Amino acid sequence: MTRQHEPSLAAIVYANDEYPDAIFKWIVSECRSRNLVLSGVLQHPVCEGSDRRCDVLLEDLASGYRTPLFDDRGAGARGCRLDVAALIDASMKVERSLDNGPALLVLNKFGKVEADGGGMCGLMAKALERGIPAIIGVPARNLDAWRNFAGEFSAELSENADEIRKWLRELY
């Protein structure tokens, strides 16, 4: 396989709070069916308890290790429950897997932490430096921050599988 000369980022832009879970599972399946080495994470929602609050587990695509992303602060807690330390830990695990020469970096979400310059931003920058293409979900509310971060390296895609398949084929 020949990788394109210019590094590339792709944002799958989706409506706020409508994470395209199925399309990311499809991307991973499509790439694995082509025997492409992947780095990154796949998001798995887990809803438990009487309040049915959902947690998110990030599955490291290289190792299969799953990291819970949200703090359990009790039923009455309000506000963001994101465990930033867990996000950083997951990011560090993925960063180590970049040494395996992946064909693609798959990241779940350019969220609030990334919009503020943290989270997985450093990981995407390292992928760009190494010429590893990356694909990430971007909620509409963070699209301007994404554009400021990714600039000329970014393609914006819809959740359409044919459009994503075309982007992947242009890479390899």
Side-chain angles (χ1 to χ4, degrees):
M1 280 180 270
T2 303
R3 184 172 285 150
Q4 69 181 31
H5 296 299
E6 290 297 319
S8 184
L9 298 174
I12 298 177
V13 181
Y14 61 93
N16 296 333
D17 304 319
E18 300 286 330
Y19 182 75
D21 189 55
I23 201 71
F24 275 92
K25 288 178 180 167
W26 174 83
I27 290 166
V28 168
S29 176
E30 180 78 7
C31 290
R32 285 182 171 161
S33 75
R34 296 173 64 197
N35 296 316
L36 297 177
V37 175
L38 299 176
S39 284
V41 293
L42 188 59
Q43 177 172 308
H44 298 281
V46 178
C47 299
E48 297 176 340
S50 60
D51 63 359
R52 303 300 292 163
R53 293 189 82 172
C54 286
D55 192 356
V56 171
L57 297 176
L58 290 184
E59 175 189 354
D60 183 297
L61 294 173
S63 69
Y65 183 82
R66 292 186 178 203
T67 302
L69 271 193
F70 291 106
D71 283 329
D72 182 3
R73 298 183 304 149
R78 295 275 185 247
C80 183
R81 300 180 308 122
L82 178 66
D83 182 344
V84 177
L87 180 63
I88 291 169
D89 182 57
S91 180
M92 289 172 52
K93 284 180 174 66
V94 171
E95 184 176 340
R96 286 190 292 275
S97 75
L98 293 179
D99 292 336
N100 298 330
L104 182 66
L105 174 65
V106 179
L107 298 173
N108 65 316
K109 182 177 177 184
F110 190 82
K112 182 181 182 330
V113 174
E114 287 78 16
D116 291 338
M120 301 276 186
C121 285
L123 185 56
M124 286 182 281
K126 287 185 192 249
L128 271 174
E129 289 171 2
R130 295 179 184 203
I132 301 167
I135 193 163
I136 189 168
V138 179
R141 70 177 152 260
N142 295 338
L143 188 54
D144 286 339
W146 168 257
R147 288 173 175 159
N148 287 333
F149 170 77
E152 66 188 58
F153 295 103
S154 177
E156 292 175 16
L157 308 174
S158 70
E159 298 174 48
N160 180 287
D162 290 333
E163 185 179 356
I164 296 165
R165 185 179 289 117
K166 181 180 179 220
W167 181 80
L168 288 170
R169 283 189 179 142
E170 288 175 0
L171 295 175
Y172 306 103

